[in-house]
Amino acid sequence: VCVGMQLLAESGDEHGDHRGLGWLPGSVTRLNPTDPALKVPHMGWNRVEPLPTSRIEGGSAYFVHSYKFEASEPSDVRATTTHGVRFPAVVGRRNVTGVQFHPEKSQRWGLNFLARWLEDGRWD
């Protein structure tokens, strides 16, 4: 589940420059928090904040990552979170959805997130 969101991008710079599937315009870049006290990889619980146009319910999710999706189209971002900088927690377009967090490790909220996605197959 974790690597799926980053594969959706056009490109990524983890361990060199690589092409992605290009299903969502954007790139994957290293997470660089503005506060040097914040560790990378980012590991732990963060609040998932849905955008007003999204049908996603907000909640706390478990994150383990060192890179973030930079969406070229703001409308592809469904929810955000913050670890020194704000970045997408959920991206999607039509029936394509990707998440930066681990829904399977995010306890009840994550399992509910997966169940709602399986019912609808989309978040727009």
Side-chain angles (χ1 to χ4, degrees):
V1 172
C2 177
V3 95
M5 179 176 173
Q6 296 180 358
L7 286 173
L8 300 176
E10 296 169 304
S11 65
D13 65 9
E14 186 172 358
H15 303 294
D17 292 324
H18 303 284
R19 288 189 331 182
L21 295 172
W23 292 355
L24 295 175
S27 60
V28 175
T29 61
R30 181 144 177 90
L31 182 62
N32 289 312
T34 53
D35 181 349
L38 293 173
K39 304 270 191 249
V40 175
H42 168 220
M43 297 173 62
W45 293 88
N46 273 72
R47 183 90 185 142
V48 174
E49 299 289 342
L51 272 62
T53 56
S54 175
R55 294 184 297 145
I56 295 171
E57 294 177 12
S60 292
Y62 189 76
F63 289 79
V64 179
H65 65 110
S66 298
Y67 289 79
K68 65 186 181 342
F69 193 106
E70 293 185 10
S72 297
E73 297 290 333
S75 61
D76 290 338
V77 177
R78 302 286 184 246
T80 62
T81 195
T82 302
H83 183 68
V85 294
R86 182 162 291 284
F87 56 88
V90 182
V91 295
R93 180 185 292 183
R94 293 182 294 279
N95 65 336
V96 174
T97 300
V99 299
Q100 185 63 69
F101 54 88
H102 285 266
E104 78 283 6
K105 294 182 180 180
S106 297
Q107 298 181 6
R108 180 173 289 142
W109 183 85
L111 295 177
N112 287 338
F113 177 92
L114 287 174
R116 288 189 314 272
W117 183 81
L118 288 171
E119 286 174 11
D120 289 344
R122 57 193 300 157
W123 291 111
D124 54 0

